[in-house]
């Protein structure tokens, strides 16, 4: 006769549907002793799971006392952790990833049973899935031209987006670990390929002068002066207020950022704590701001009752927040005239930081001007030599060795 397991050691039985059913008593995070069930296709699979449960019990690791699935937990995490504690733009991005990717893919999985293998297989499937087919985009056209017409366009998610999806899941599960809902964060066990970040080209000193000359007399000339000479981000420029500028002392404080959140433009806090910074104004910047203030006074008077005062340095023609897409279109027109068609507006900031480093300004000073969180970002992204500098360095080496 088979030996009977002692009480509490667990038992395994064969079900009528061919699966094995294991049961054992464990201590949960609520302090209660609870009998749990485990199902598997083989006896060994269930036995190994029971052994793992009992090993945790011996080591004093309680079983998470929750039967919620991943979708239920993600909605709770968004409402109770992300929404109260993160910036609106961050919440908007997280909510989109949860709604579009995580809940459809993993939402029905029980939170405490989620395994790294399931996450890895799912991420691989997401990486290979055509978004046009998934969203039915082509089918919504009056006349289908690709996926709905039988020729899949293979519109895949970028490596950066895959990384973001993985990061949101990892952050959510890490919070579940802190709340003792699960033992470990299985998303941490899954690695995703890092995207290849594009290094901005930036402008030479001569090109930067040409841009400012081309924009002389332009309504947003001063905005481009600040972008090139102070390295400010687009949102920081459009969110800049006159109350943050002291023309007498010659200082400018970056304390607000203009972003589109839930379809409307809002002034929010800067990107990071280090992004909030006070910058001294060199003479050309100070002169440009004085001229811009006088020009804006004329614009305000011309608008009359239509003007909406928001204290913005670079508003629309009636004082409302300036549409970021309009700034992009403004820059595209300028770069087209100068033959710089592949240069992004953000590359003006890149130009400022790169030229400062080329002039020998210490990296920690450049970091404070740029508002980077770490000097490593400054050096990794911006401190790359031009071909002329590389040729000069290699020529010196060649002279030394010849």
């Amino acid at each position: 006769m088979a030996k009977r397991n002692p009480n509490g050691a667990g038992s395994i039985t064969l079900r009528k549907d061919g699966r094995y059913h294991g049961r054992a008593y464990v201590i949960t995070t609520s302090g209660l002793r609870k009998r749990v069930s485990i199902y598997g296709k083989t006896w060994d699979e269930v036995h190994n799971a029971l052994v793992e449960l009992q090993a945790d019990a011996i080591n004093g690791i309680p079983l998470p006392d929750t039967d919620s699935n991943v979708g239920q937990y993600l909605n709770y995490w968004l409402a109770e952790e992300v929404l109260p504690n993160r910036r609106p733009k961050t919440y908007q991005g997280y909510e989109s990833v949860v709604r579009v990717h995580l809940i459809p893919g993993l939402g029905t999985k029980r939170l405490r049973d989620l395994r790294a293998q399931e996450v890895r297989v799912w991420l691989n499937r997401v990486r290979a899935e055509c978004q046009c087919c998934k969203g039915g985009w082509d089918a919504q056209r009056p006349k289908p031209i690709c996926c709905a017409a039988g020729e899949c366009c293979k519109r895949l998610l970028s490596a950066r987006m895959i990384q973001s999806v993985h990061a949101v899941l990892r952050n959510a599960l890490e919070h579940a670990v802190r709340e003792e809902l699960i033992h470990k964060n299985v998303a941490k066990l899954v690695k995703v390929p890092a995207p290849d970040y594009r290094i901005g080209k930036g402008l030479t000193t001569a090109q930067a002068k040409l841009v400012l000359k081309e924009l002389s007399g332009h309504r947003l000339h001063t905005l481009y002066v600040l972008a090139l000479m102070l390295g400010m981000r687009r949102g920081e420029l459009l969110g800049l207020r006159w109350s943050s500028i002291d023309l007498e002392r010659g200082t400018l404080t970056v304390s607000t950022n203009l972003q589109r959140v839930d379809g409307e433009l809002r002034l929010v806090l800067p990107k990071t704590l280090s992004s909030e910074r006070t910058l001294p104004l060199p003479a050309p910047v100070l002169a440009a701001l004085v001229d811009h203030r006088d020009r804006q006074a004329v614009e305000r008077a011309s608008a009359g009752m239509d003007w909406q005062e928001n204290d913005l340095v670079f508003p629309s023609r009636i004082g409302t927040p300036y549409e970021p897409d309009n700034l992009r279109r403004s820059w595209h027109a300028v770069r087209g005239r100068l033959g710089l068609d592949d240069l992004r507006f953000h590359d003006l900031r890149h130009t400022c930081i790169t030229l400062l480093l080329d002039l020998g300004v210490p990296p920690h000073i450049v970091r404070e001007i740029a508002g980077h969180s770490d000097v490593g970002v400054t050096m990794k992204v911006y401190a790359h030599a031009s071909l002329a500098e590389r040729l000069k360095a290699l020529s010196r080496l060649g002279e030394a060795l010849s």
Side-chain angles (χ1 to χ4, degrees), residues 89 105 123 159 251 253 255 262 266 290 306 313 354 377 400:
K89 193 71 173 179
L123 276 174
T251 61
T253 300
S255 58
D262 294 332
R266 297 185 192 174
V290 171
D306 292 333
V313 178
T354 302
V377 176

Side-chain angles (χ1 to χ4, degrees), residues 43 87 230 318:
W43 187 94
R87 292 184 173 87
L230 299 184
I318 59 171

Side-chain angles (χ1 to χ4, degrees), residues 74 100 245 264 296 313:
L74 288 172
V100 175
I245 300 176
E264 64 178 20
Q296 191 178 92
V313 178

